[in-house]
Amino acid sequence: MMNTFGHIFRVTTWGESHGPALGATVDGVPPGVAIDEGMIQHWLDRRKPGQNKFTTQRREADEVRILSGVYEGQTTGTPVQLMIENTDQRSKDYSEIAEKFRPGHADITYWLKYGIRDPRGGGRSSARETAARVAAGGLAREAIKAIAPGIEIRGYMTRMGVHGIERADIDWEQIERNPFWTPDARAAATWEGYLNDLRKSGSSVGAEIEVVVRGAPAGLGAPIYAKLDTDLAAAMMSINAVKGVEIGEGMNAARLTGEENADEISMGPDGPEFSSNHAGGILGGISTGQDIVVRFSVKPTSSILTPRKTITKSGEPAEIVTKGRHDPCVGIRAVPVAEAMAACVILDHLLLHRAQVGNGPRGTIG
Amino acid sequence: MMNTFGHIFRVTTWGESHGPALGATVDGVPPGVAIDEGMIQHWLDRRKPGQNKFTTQRREADEVRILSGVYEGQTTGTPVQLMIENTDQRSKDYSEIAEKFRPGHADITYWLKYGIRDPRGGGRSSARETAARVAAGGLAREAIKAIAPGIEIRGYMTRMGVHGIERADIDWEQIERNPFWTPDARAAATWEGYLNDLRKSGSSVGAEIEVVVRGAPAGLGAPIYAKLDTDLAAAMMSINAVKGVEIGEGMNAARLTGEENADEISMGPDGPEFSSNHAGGILGGISTGQDIVVRFSVKPTSSILTPRKTITKSGEPAEIVTKGRHDPCVGIRAVPVAEAMAACVILDHLLLHRAQVGNGPRGTIG
Amino acid sequence: MMNTFGHIFRVTTWGESHGPALGATVDGVPPGVAIDEGMIQHWLDRRKPGQNKFTTQRREADEVRILSGVYEGQTTGTPVQLMIENTDQRSKDYSEIAEKFRPGHADITYWLKYGIRDPRGGGRSSARETAARVAAGGLAREAIKAIAPGIEIRGYMTRMGVHGIERADIDWEQIERNPFWTPDARAAATWEGYLNDLRKSGSSVGAEIEVVVRGAPAGLGAPIYAKLDTDLAAAMMSINAVKGVEIGEGMNAARLTGEENADEISMGPDGPEFSSNHAGGILGGISTGQDIVVRFSVKPTSSILTPRKTITKSGEPAEIVTKGRHDPCVGIRAVPVAEAMAACVILDHLLLHRAQVGNGPRGTIG
Amino acid sequence: MMNTFGHIFRVTTWGESHGPALGATVDGVPPGVAIDEGMIQHWLDRRKPGQNKFTTQRREADEVRILSGVYEGQTTGTPVQLMIENTDQRSKDYSEIAEKFRPGHADITYWLKYGIRDPRGGGRSSARETAARVAAGGLAREAIKAIAPGIEIRGYMTRMGVHGIERADIDWEQIERNPFWTPDARAAATWEGYLNDLRKSGSSVGAEIEVVVRGAPAGLGAPIYAKLDTDLAAAMMSINAVKGVEIGEGMNAARLTGEENADEISMGPDGPEFSSNHAGGILGGISTGQDIVVRFSVKPTSSILTPRKTITKSGEPAEIVTKGRHDPCVGIRAVPVAEAMAACVILDHLLLHRAQVGNGPRGTIG
C-alpha cells in the first residue's frame, strides 16, 4: 500500500540507493504482451546518470533483469519482477551524513519517523528509486501498444530556473537533440551556459517539466478518487523533489474568467473537437480525447557547495557542505521518470475502464 | 476503490446532485470519539450554498444524519454513514442540457465513458458531492482532536482572478470576517466589487486556495505512494474544478536556486526548527513538524451567460447559454471542502503512522 | 478496507441492528444495467425474517431504497447506495445484555477491542447486516446477466444438525418448496419435526449450506490472492456464524488418494469436459467452466433457553438466558445471504478478468 | 492486488518454478525489527524439499537474500525484498506437458484464462511459490516478537488420508520428531508405512493440517471483511491444493446444538476464561484471547503413475502419466507454509488494530 501505486496495473518499488539491488514488482500485467529486457533497457538508458556533464557522475550500468512473469518473450499475466543491481556502491565515508541532517533532505524526516535510516546515498529517499519506475514504465508502454495503439507519451523541460521556453517554439523533434529534453532549441542554447555557470559555482536550480499523452481515448478516469487527473497528480507528486503539479491551465486557471477558459466544442471527422485545451484533456476526471497535459515543478537539489546551517543527531548546531556527485539540475533526469509514471497511469486506466465498462468508450456522438 | 480515498480512515462518497440523498460511508474510524450531528453540521453550514449573493442561490438545508457507527454520542469503530438528503430538487427542464454538451462540463466525458448520465444538475459530477466530504471532514477533525490535540487546519483564498492577496497582510483573524474566506482584509474589499461586476455580467472567475495544517507532528507520511504530499495532492486534485496543486514553494520551486530554496535547521526548545518553509512542511514525503502548506487553483465555472459553441448528442453544431443558480466564483465554496480533505488525509496518516511505527515519532534529536 | 469486499465491484456495508438504517455502498458497478428497487426487493424478501415459525419473529419490512447511482432505471456507473431502514426497533430493556457477556456472542470481543459497543440487538455484529449483502447481491445478479448471461447461482441447505441430505436425492426444483431451502424433499420432512422439537425446547442447531454457480466461464480468478476459491472462502467466512468453508471435496480431500480425486478431461462439443468435479470447478484458483461448488457450516446460535455461565463487565460470575426472537437454526437465513455473496464475487471476477485479459477466455482448445 | 495479501503488512509474491528467481516484496514492515538472512533461512530450511524420501527430490538450496529494507541488521520501515534464486532448473523435456493438460493441474485453467502459460514445473502455479511466503512469514515472526512477545504459532498434521490423529494424544513436543510434523507419535508410526506404500505404488494422498496461534491478545480482527477468521481462511485457501478451511469446530459446527457448542465464560486471574474453545478463539471476527485454531485440507497431488485420460491443446484425446520428482503427500510441506501465512495475518492484524484503536485492547473487564 505504501510503496505501491495503481488500481489494476500495480507497481510496487523496492530498494535503496546503496543496497545490493532495487526494482519493481509489477502485478496486473495483461498477458501476451511482447517484451524483453532490451525493450525496457531502452528507457532506462535515457534516465541513466553520467551521460553528460549535467547529470551526476555516479556510474551505474542500470541493467534491468526480468526475473518473473515473462515466458518466451511474452508476459504471462503473472507478476513481473524487474531488478536492477547497484554496481557503483563505492565505498565512502558516510559518518558526517549519518551524524548531521542535510537541509532539504529527507534524512531528518526519516529519522524522526522511523528512528532508523540508511544514510548511504539517501537510502530509500534517493532518486535512484526512480529507476524502478522507469523500468515499470517501459513495460507499461508495451502493454499500452497492445491495448490502445497510437498513444504517444512525451515529456520535456519547459523551464530551468529563471529561463522558461517559448511555447510558440515548441518542436518535439528537438527534444532528443539537447541534453535537457527541451523542445525549444533556443532555450537549450541559453540553458547550456546558465547551467554550466551554476554547476561550476556548486549551485543548483529547479525545473519545470511537462508530459503530454497524445492519442488517448476519451473515457479514461472515473469519479471521485480514480479521476485521471487525481491519479496523474499523485503519480507526479510522488517523484522526488516535485513540489507542484498542474493539469492544463494549472495554477493559472485561478486568474482566468469563464470566457477565457472555455474550450468550445465542434464536431470533427472522428468525433468531438475542441477549440482549445485549457482543460488539459480532462473534464470531471475523465479524458476528453484531447492531449492530456500534465506539468510539474522540481525543486533545486539541496546538495550545494555553499555551507548551510544545520544540527547534529545530538542537537548540536553545525554546518554542512554536500560534496560529491550531484546533478546541478535534477529536473533533467525527471523527464523520463515522469513519462514512465504517465505510462503506468494511462495503462492502469485503460484496464480499469475495460473492467467497469468493457472495451472502448460507450457513448457515441453523431 | 473509485469513489474511496484513504488508507485506514477510508471515505467513500456516494450520491448525485438531484437524487434523493448523498453521503459518505466512513470506515476505519477510531472508536470512542465523541461526536454528534451538530458537530458535523457546523462544518456543513460553512459550505452551504445560498449564504450570500456570491454563492449559488440553490437552497439546501444540508442537514446531516448519522445513520450508523455512533452509539450514545461516541463512535463505535464500525462504519459511520453520514447522509444528507437533497431537499431542493426543484423541477426543471433538463431537456436542453440532456441534449447539448456544455463546454467545460463533465457531461461530455461521462457520456463518452458510460453511455449514460444523469443530466439533473450535473449528477455525480456536481459540486454537491463535496458536501459529503465536508461531513466526513467534520468527523475526521474530532478524531484528530482525540489522537493528536493541537492540530489546527485552516483554509483561505489567496487569489481571485487577477487579484492576489498580499502575503505580508495575512491575518487569520480576518478569514471569517468576509464572504471570501480571505485572510487579507484589503483583498476582501477589492474582491467584493470585482466579483459583483463579474456576477452582474454573467461571467465567472477562478481562484486560488491555500490550506495550512499547523501543529501536526513530524513523521507523518511514508515512501513512495503514501507520501503525505502525494496524498494531499490527490485529495485536492479530486475536488471539482481543481487544475493545479502546490506544496510549499509549489510551481515556483522551478525558478529557485538551491541557495534560495534552503530551509536551514537549528535546534529549538521543542525540537528542530527551520529558518524558512520552502518545503511546505514536508521532506521526502514525511512531515517535518512545520506548517504543512498546500495550495491549489480552481478554474472559473463554465456556466456563463455568454453563448458558447458546442454540439448536440447527435453531433449537430449548437450554441449554449447556462442559466440558473450558479456561483460566479466556485472557489469560495472550495475552502471548507479543502479543509475537510486535509483533515481526512491528516487523520489517515496519523492512523497509518501508528499502524507501522506505533505511537508518536520514533527518532529523537538531542 | 475493513467493511469492504471486492476488487472492482466493491461492496461496503454499514449499519447496526437497531440503528435508524443499514445499507450497502456499492462502487464499480458497470453502467447501463437495468435495475429498480423491485428487482432487489425480490431477493431481500427471501431473506426476510418472520416468514415462518423457524425464523426470528422480528418483523422488518426490509424495504430497500436506491439512493444513488441509478437514473431512469439504469445504473450510471457511479456508486449505488442501497438503504434499508430499520422499522422494528422495538423498545426493549438491554440493561442485562449490556452488563453480561453472552457466551458465543461477539459482545465480549467487541468490548475488548473497542472499549465501546452498541448492545441493542448485537449492534454491528448482528445478522441484520446481511440484509445489506443480499441487496448488493441482487444488484450483482443483474449486472452478471448483462455481462455473462446464463450464469445461475443456487444455494441450499445440505445439513441440519445430525441430519444430512442424500446427495442422490438432490432436486433443485424442491428448494423453493420447503422452509429450509433444501433440495431433498425427504430431508425437509425430517427436519420439520426435528427443528420443531428444538425450537420448543429453546435449543438451536447448526447447518451446512452449499452454493453452486452454474454456467460461469472458465478463466475467472487469478493467482495468488485473487484466487476465485480464496475470494469465495473469504466471502462465506465473513458471514455471521460461519466456521468452515469448502470448495468441491473440501475437508474430505484430506482422505482421498490421487486416483480417487482425479477429474479426468475429455473433449465435449463446447470445450473441455470433466469426468467428475472433485475440484469444485476451480483449479489453481481459476474456474474450469464446471459448476463452482462452495459449502460452509453455520454454528448453532448461542441464544438458547438453557442458562449458561458467564461474567459481567465488572468480572463477576453470572448466569445468562437469552430470551427473545431468535432463530433455532440461523443457517436457514444464511442461504440467500450466501447466494448474494457468491453473486458479488462472481461479478467482481468477471470485471477483474476483463480488466487484465479483455473480454472472454483467451486460450482456445481444439 | 492479485498477488498481494495483507492490509498494512502487505506481502506480494512473485516468481515461477523454473524462472531465475522468486521472492516476496514486503511492505508495511515496522521499523527497528532485528532481522538477518539466517533468521529467515531457518524457516525456509524447514520447508525445503528433498529432506527425506517423502518430499520431492528436487534439490533447491532455497537460500534467501535480503535485497532491501534492512540496514545494519534492522528493518528500516521501507519495503523488504526477499529473493530466492532457483538453482535446480534442470533441463527437462516439457514438450509433453506443454501439449497435454494434466487432470487436477492448473495448466488448463491458466491456458484458458491467459492464452499463455509457463509449462516448466507448473510455472506460477507451482508450490515453489510458497517458499516466498515462508520467507515473508519468517520476517513476520520477528516483527510479532517485537510488538507482541509471547505469541507462539504452531502447525502440524492431523490427518493423512484415511488415518487421523488421536486428539487426546496431541503432544507438541512430538512435532519436530517425525517427518510429518504430527504431534501424535503413534500416528507418525502408522503414517510412515502407509505413505511408503503409496509412494512405491506411485500414488498420492491428501492431508489435514492445523495451525494454532497461542498467546495472541484479544481484540484482533474487525468487521466485516477484515474479520480475523475471514483473513485466516483466505490465507489458507490461497495455498496450493487447499480445498477446505475450518475455524474451531469448523464444518462440524453444522452438527451441534447450541448447548453443545457453548463456550462458557468465567473470570480467571488474567482476564476472561472459557470452558471450551468451539469458537477456535474468534467471536464475531475478533480474537478472544484463547488459542486461535485454523484447520485445512490439502488434496492429494494429481501427479500419479496411474495413467489418466486427458486432452491435448488441439482437443485430441490422450493419456498422461506424471513422472518426476513429486511428493506423495504434498500436505507435509504445507505445514511450514501455513505457519508462515498465520504469522503474516496475525502481524497484519496487530498493526491494523493499533492503527484504528491504538496500542492494546481497549475494553477492560473487572
Side-chain angles (χ1 to χ4, degrees):
Chain A
M1 170 214 288
M2 282 182 270
N3 290 274
T4 300
F5 64 93
H7 303 273
I8 309 278
F9 182 80
R10 285 174 72 79
V11 177
T12 306
T13 72
W14 55 271
E16 287 84 42
S17 174
H18 283 62
L22 55 85
T25 310
V26 190
D27 202 358
V29 184
V33 175
I35 194 80
D36 63 28
E37 282 153 354
M39 292 156 91
I40 293 174
Q41 195 63 49
H42 170 76
W43 301 104
L44 275 167
D45 288 348
R46 286 165 55 99
R47 180 202 160 277
K48 200 157 67 177
Q51 298 194 97
N52 62 49
K53 63 187 168 186
F54 299 122
T55 57
T56 175
Q57 294 311 299
R58 172 171 176 164
R59 297 197 179 281
E60 282 291 353
D62 270 359
E63 275 179 27
V64 68
R65 288 185 63 201
I66 299 175
L67 295 185
S68 66
V70 174
Y71 180 65
E72 295 187 341
Q74 284 194 304
T75 57
T76 60
T78 61
V80 175
Q81 181 60 257
L82 302 168
M83 182 176 74
I84 298 159
E85 288 181 85
N86 288 322
T87 52
D88 182 8
Q89 308 166 44
R90 83 174 55 168
S91 74
K92 188 174 160 182
D93 183 2
Y94 285 101
S95 55
E96 193 194 14
I97 285 174
E99 281 312 306
K100 292 181 191 170
F101 298 108
R102 287 168 290 171
H105 266 265
D107 47 16
I108 192 167
T109 50
Y110 272 60
W111 174 252
L112 290 170
K113 181 178 189 72
Y114 299 116
I116 181 175
R117 67 190 176 87
D118 179 349
R120 301 167 304 163
R124 179 71 181 152
S125 73
S126 165
R128 252 198 91 52
E129 181 268 345
T130 60
R133 305 184 190 214
V134 171
L139 174 57
R141 282 177 186 269
E142 298 305 318
I144 290 172
K145 265 189 218 170
I147 292 171
I151 292 181
E152 192 177 5
I153 299 170
R154 293 303 290 269
Y156 44 83
M157 272 184 69
T158 50
R159 169 171 297 281
M160 179 187 288
V162 293
H163 300 292
I165 64 163
E166 284 297 321
R167 294 238 141 226
D169 294 346
I170 289 182
D171 172 9
W172 284 20
E173 298 299 314
Q174 295 299 325
I175 296 172
E176 306 279 335
R177 294 187 189 151
N178 62 76
F180 311 111
W181 313 108
T182 184
D184 175 349
R186 272 186 295 187
T190 309
W191 296 357
E192 178 124 22
Y194 176 61
L195 193 58
N196 238 338
D197 291 349
L198 286 163
R199 184 177 63 82
K200 284 177 188 159
S201 65
S203 184
S204 67
V205 73
E208 185 187 273
I209 285 111
E210 190 167 284
V211 180
V212 173
V213 180
R214 183 161 290 169
L220 303 185
I224 295 292
Y225 230 66
K227 282 182 173 174
L228 187 57
D229 37 4
T230 300
D231 282 357
L232 284 169
M236 299 309 157
M237 194 60 96
S238 77
I239 300 172
N240 309 51
V242 172
K243 301 304 286 183
V245 181
E246 302 188 314
I247 305 290
E249 279 292 337
M251 295 305 294
N252 192 51
R255 297 170 188 259
L256 302 182
T257 62
E259 292 77 10
E260 291 164 337
N261 191 54
D263 299 320
E264 292 185 304
I265 313 176
S266 60
M267 197 63 190
D270 305 317
E273 290 182 355
F274 298 83
S275 63
S276 50
N277 191 8
H278 298 284
I282 301 174
L283 287 173
I286 300 173
S287 63
T288 62
Q290 292 175 275
D291 281 5
I292 297 164
V293 182
V294 193
R295 207 176 306 105
F296 61 94
S297 65
V298 179
K299 70 177 183 182
T301 177
S302 54
S303 301
I304 51 177
L305 284 183
T306 308
R308 280 157 307 148
K309 289 184 190 154
T310 189
I311 55 173
T312 66
K313 262 193 187 175
S314 50
E316 297 303 310
E319 280 211 334
I320 195 161
V321 173
T322 314
K323 293 165 195 158
R325 307 161 298 178
H326 293 287
D327 298 25
C329 180
V330 286
I332 298 173
R333 286 169 59 215
V335 173
V337 177
E339 285 183 352
M341 293 305 283
C344 292
V345 170
I346 293 296
L347 173 60
D348 190 37
H349 276 278
L350 285 165
L351 302 185
L352 188 59
H353 180 76
R354 72 180 186 185
Q356 192 188 9
V357 180
N359 286 321
R362 287 269 293 228
T364 51
I365 295 176
Chain B
M1 166 215 287
M2 283 182 270
N3 290 275
T4 300
F5 64 93
H7 303 273
I8 310 278
F9 182 79
R10 285 172 72 77
V11 177
T12 305
T13 72
W14 55 271
E16 286 84 42
S17 174
H18 284 61
L22 54 85
T25 311
V26 190
D27 202 359
V29 183
V33 175
I35 194 81
D36 63 28
E37 282 154 355
M39 293 155 92
I40 293 174
Q41 195 64 48
H42 170 76
W43 302 105
L44 274 167
D45 287 347
R46 288 164 54 97
R47 178 202 160 278
K48 201 158 65 176
Q51 299 193 95
N52 62 50
K53 62 185 167 186
F54 301 122
T55 56
T56 175
Q57 294 311 301
R58 172 172 177 163
R59 298 199 179 280
E60 283 290 355
D62 271 0
E63 275 180 28
V64 68
R65 287 185 63 201
I66 300 175
L67 296 185
S68 65
V70 174
Y71 180 65
E72 294 187 342
Q74 285 194 301
T75 58
T76 60
T78 61
V80 175
Q81 181 60 257
L82 303 169
M83 184 176 74
I84 299 158
E85 288 180 85
N86 288 322
T87 52
D88 182 8
Q89 309 164 46
R90 82 173 58 165
S91 75
K92 187 174 161 183
D93 182 2
Y94 286 101
S95 56
E96 192 192 15
I97 284 172
E99 280 312 305
K100 292 181 191 170
F101 298 108
R102 287 168 291 170
H105 264 267
D107 48 16
I108 192 166
T109 51
Y110 271 62
W111 173 252
L112 290 170
K113 182 179 188 73
Y114 299 116
I116 181 174
R117 68 191 176 84
D118 179 350
R120 301 167 303 165
R124 179 71 180 152
S125 72
S126 164
R128 252 198 91 53
E129 181 269 345
T130 60
R133 305 184 190 214
V134 171
L139 175 57
R141 282 178 185 267
E142 297 306 318
I144 290 171
K145 264 189 219 168
I147 293 171
I151 293 181
E152 191 177 4
I153 299 171
R154 293 302 290 269
Y156 44 83
M157 272 185 70
T158 50
R159 169 172 297 282
M160 179 188 289
V162 293
H163 301 291
I165 65 163
E166 284 297 321
R167 296 235 142 230
D169 293 346
I170 290 182
D171 172 7
W172 285 19
E173 299 299 315
Q174 296 298 323
I175 296 173
E176 307 278 338
R177 297 189 187 149
N178 62 77
F180 312 111
W181 314 107
T182 183
D184 175 348
R186 273 186 293 187
T190 310
W191 297 356
E192 178 124 22
Y194 177 60
L195 193 57
N196 239 337
D197 290 349
L198 285 164
R199 185 176 63 82
K200 285 177 189 158
S201 65
S203 184
S204 67
V205 72
E208 185 186 274
I209 285 113
E210 190 165 284
V211 181
V212 173
V213 180
R214 183 161 290 170
L220 302 185
I224 295 292
Y225 229 67
K227 282 182 172 174
L228 187 56
D229 36 5
T230 300
D231 282 356
L232 285 169
M236 299 309 158
M237 194 61 96
S238 78
I239 301 171
N240 309 50
V242 172
K243 301 304 286 183
V245 181
E246 303 188 313
I247 306 290
E249 281 291 336
M251 295 306 293
N252 191 51
R255 297 169 188 259
L256 302 182
T257 62
E259 291 78 8
E260 291 165 337
N261 191 55
D263 299 322
E264 292 186 303
I265 313 174
S266 60
M267 197 63 192
D270 305 317
E273 292 182 354
F274 298 82
S275 63
S276 50
N277 190 10
H278 299 284
I282 302 173
L283 287 173
I286 299 172
S287 64
T288 61
Q290 291 174 277
D291 281 5
I292 298 165
V293 182
V294 193
R295 207 175 306 105
F296 62 93
S297 65
V298 179
K299 70 175 183 183
T301 178
S302 53
S303 302
I304 51 177
L305 284 183
T306 309
R308 282 156 306 148
K309 290 183 190 155
T310 188
I311 55 175
T312 65
K313 263 193 187 175
S314 50
E316 298 304 310
E319 280 212 334
I320 195 162
V321 173
T322 315
K323 292 165 196 157
R325 306 162 298 178
H326 293 287
D327 299 24
C329 180
V330 285
I332 298 172
R333 287 170 57 216
V335 173
V337 178
E339 285 183 351
M341 293 304 284
C344 292
V345 170
I346 292 296
L347 172 60
D348 190 37
H349 276 278
L350 285 165
L351 302 185
L352 189 58
H353 181 76
R354 72 180 185 186
Q356 190 187 12
V357 180
N359 285 321
R362 286 269 293 226
T364 51
I365 295 175
Chain C
M1 167 213 290
M2 282 182 270
N3 290 276
T4 300
F5 65 94
H7 303 273
I8 310 277
F9 182 79
R10 286 173 73 77
V11 177
T12 305
T13 72
W14 55 271
E16 285 85 43
S17 175
H18 283 60
L22 54 84
T25 311
V26 190
D27 201 0
V29 184
V33 176
I35 193 82
D36 62 27
E37 282 153 356
M39 293 155 91
I40 293 174
Q41 194 63 48
H42 170 76
W43 302 105
L44 275 167
D45 287 348
R46 287 164 54 97
R47 177 202 161 279
K48 202 158 66 177
Q51 300 193 96
N52 63 50
K53 62 185 168 188
F54 300 121
T55 56
T56 175
Q57 294 311 299
R58 172 172 178 165
R59 298 199 180 280
E60 282 292 352
D62 270 0
E63 275 179 29
V64 68
R65 287 185 64 203
I66 300 175
L67 296 185
S68 65
V70 175
Y71 179 65
E72 295 187 342
Q74 284 194 303
T75 58
T76 60
T78 62
V80 175
Q81 181 60 257
L82 303 168
M83 183 176 75
I84 298 158
E85 287 181 85
N86 288 321
T87 52
D88 183 7
Q89 309 165 46
R90 83 173 58 167
S91 74
K92 188 175 160 181
D93 182 2
Y94 287 101
S95 56
E96 193 193 15
I97 285 173
E99 280 313 304
K100 293 181 190 172
F101 299 107
R102 287 168 291 170
H105 264 266
D107 49 14
I108 192 167
T109 51
Y110 270 62
W111 173 252
L112 290 170
K113 182 180 188 74
Y114 300 115
I116 181 175
R117 68 190 175 86
D118 179 349
R120 301 167 303 163
R124 180 72 182 151
S125 72
S126 164
R128 252 199 90 53
E129 181 269 344
T130 60
R133 305 184 190 214
V134 171
L139 175 57
R141 283 179 186 267
E142 298 306 318
I144 290 172
K145 265 190 217 169
I147 292 172
I151 293 181
E152 192 177 4
I153 299 170
R154 293 302 290 268
Y156 45 82
M157 271 185 69
T158 51
R159 169 171 297 281
M160 180 188 289
V162 293
H163 301 291
I165 64 163
E166 284 297 321
R167 296 235 142 231
D169 294 346
I170 289 182
D171 172 8
W172 285 20
E173 299 298 315
Q174 296 297 324
I175 297 173
E176 306 278 338
R177 296 188 187 149
N178 61 77
F180 312 112
W181 314 109
T182 182
D184 175 348
R186 273 187 294 187
T190 309
W191 297 357
E192 179 123 20
Y194 177 61
L195 194 58
N196 238 337
D197 291 348
L198 286 164
R199 184 177 62 83
K200 286 177 188 158
S201 66
S203 184
S204 68
V205 73
E208 186 186 272
I209 285 112
E210 189 166 283
V211 181
V212 173
V213 181
R214 184 161 289 169
L220 302 186
I224 293 294
Y225 229 67
K227 283 182 171 173
L228 187 57
D229 36 6
T230 300
D231 282 356
L232 284 168
M236 299 308 159
M237 193 61 96
S238 77
I239 300 172
N240 308 50
V242 172
K243 301 304 285 185
V245 181
E246 302 188 313
I247 305 290
E249 280 291 337
M251 295 307 293
N252 192 50
R255 297 169 188 258
L256 303 182
T257 62
E259 291 79 7
E260 292 164 337
N261 192 55
D263 299 322
E264 292 185 304
I265 313 175
S266 60
M267 197 64 193
D270 304 318
E273 292 183 354
F274 298 83
S275 63
S276 50
N277 190 10
H278 299 284
I282 301 173
L283 287 173
I286 299 172
S287 64
T288 61
Q290 294 174 274
D291 281 4
I292 298 165
V293 182
V294 193
R295 207 176 305 105
F296 61 93
S297 64
V298 179
K299 68 175 185 184
T301 177
S302 53
S303 302
I304 51 178
L305 284 183
T306 308
R308 282 156 305 147
K309 289 183 189 155
T310 187
I311 55 175
T312 65
K313 261 194 188 174
S314 50
E316 296 304 309
E319 280 210 335
I320 194 162
V321 173
T322 314
K323 293 164 197 158
R325 307 161 297 177
H326 293 287
D327 299 24
C329 180
V330 284
I332 299 172
R333 287 170 57 217
V335 173
V337 178
E339 285 183 352
M341 292 304 283
C344 291
V345 170
I346 292 296
L347 173 60
D348 190 36
H349 276 278
L350 285 166
L351 302 185
L352 189 58
H353 181 77
R354 72 180 186 185
Q356 191 187 12
V357 179
N359 286 320
R362 288 268 294 224
T364 52
I365 295 175
Chain D
M1 170 212 288
M2 284 182 268
N3 290 274
T4 300
F5 64 94
H7 303 273
I8 309 277
F9 181 80
R10 285 174 72 78
V11 177
T12 306
T13 72
W14 55 271
E16 286 84 42
S17 175
H18 283 61
L22 55 84
T25 310
V26 190
D27 202 358
V29 184
V33 175
I35 194 80
D36 63 28
E37 282 153 355
M39 292 156 91
I40 293 174
Q41 194 63 47
H42 169 77
W43 302 105
L44 275 167
D45 288 348
R46 285 164 56 100
R47 179 202 160 279
K48 200 158 66 177
Q51 299 194 97
N52 62 50
K53 61 186 168 187
F54 300 122
T55 57
T56 175
Q57 294 310 300
R58 171 171 176 164
R59 295 196 181 282
E60 282 291 353
D62 270 359
E63 275 180 27
V64 68
R65 286 184 64 201
I66 300 175
L67 295 186
S68 66
V70 174
Y71 179 66
E72 295 187 341
Q74 284 194 303
T75 57
T76 60
T78 62
V80 175
Q81 181 59 258
L82 303 168
M83 183 177 74
I84 298 158
E85 287 181 84
N86 287 323
T87 53
D88 184 7
Q89 309 166 44
R90 83 172 56 169
S91 75
K92 188 175 160 183
D93 182 2
Y94 286 101
S95 56
E96 193 191 15
I97 286 173
E99 281 313 304
K100 293 180 190 172
F101 299 108
R102 288 169 291 172
H105 264 264
D107 47 17
I108 193 167
T109 50
Y110 271 60
W111 173 252
L112 290 170
K113 181 179 189 73
Y114 299 116
I116 181 175
R117 67 190 177 87
D118 179 350
R120 300 167 304 163
R124 179 73 181 150
S125 72
S126 165
R128 252 198 91 51
E129 182 269 344
T130 60
R133 304 185 190 214
V134 171
L139 174 56
R141 282 179 186 268
E142 298 306 318
I144 289 171
K145 264 189 220 170
I147 292 171
I151 293 181
E152 192 177 3
I153 299 170
R154 293 304 290 268
Y156 44 83
M157 272 184 69
T158 50
R159 169 171 297 281
M160 179 188 288
V162 293
H163 301 292
I165 65 163
E166 285 296 322
R167 293 236 143 229
D169 293 347
I170 289 182
D171 173 8
W172 284 19
E173 298 299 314
Q174 295 298 324
I175 296 172
E176 306 279 337
R177 295 186 188 151
N178 62 75
F180 312 111
W181 313 108
T182 183
D184 175 348
R186 274 186 293 187
T190 309
W191 296 357
E192 177 124 23
Y194 175 61
L195 193 58
N196 238 339
D197 291 349
L198 285 164
R199 184 177 63 82
K200 283 177 189 158
S201 65
S203 184
S204 67
V205 73
E208 184 186 275
I209 284 111
E210 190 166 286
V211 181
V212 173
V213 180
R214 183 162 289 168
L220 302 185
I224 294 293
Y225 229 68
K227 281 182 172 174
L228 188 56
D229 36 5
T230 300
D231 282 355
L232 284 168
M236 299 309 159
M237 193 60 95
S238 78
I239 300 172
N240 308 53
V242 172
K243 300 305 287 183
V245 181
E246 302 188 315
I247 305 291
E249 280 293 337
M251 295 306 294
N252 192 50
R255 297 170 188 259
L256 303 182
T257 62
E259 291 77 9
E260 291 165 336
N261 191 55
D263 299 321
E264 292 185 305
I265 313 176
S266 59
M267 197 62 192
D270 304 317
E273 291 182 355
F274 298 82
S275 63
S276 51
N277 191 9
H278 298 283
I282 301 174
L283 287 173
I286 300 173
S287 64
T288 62
Q290 291 176 278
D291 280 6
I292 297 164
V293 182
V294 192
R295 208 176 307 103
F296 61 93
S297 65
V298 179
K299 70 176 182 182
T301 177
S302 53
S303 302
I304 51 177
L305 284 184
T306 307
R308 282 157 307 148
K309 289 184 191 153
T310 189
I311 55 173
T312 66
K313 263 193 187 176
S314 50
E316 298 302 311
E319 280 210 333
I320 195 161
V321 173
T322 313
K323 294 165 195 157
R325 307 161 299 178
H326 293 288
D327 298 26
C329 180
V330 285
I332 298 172
R333 286 169 59 215
V335 174
V337 178
E339 286 182 353
M341 293 305 283
C344 291
V345 170
I346 293 296
L347 173 59
D348 189 36
H349 275 279
L350 286 165
L351 302 185
L352 189 58
H353 180 77
R354 73 180 183 185
Q356 192 188 10
V357 180
N359 287 320
R362 286 270 293 230
T364 52
I365 295 175

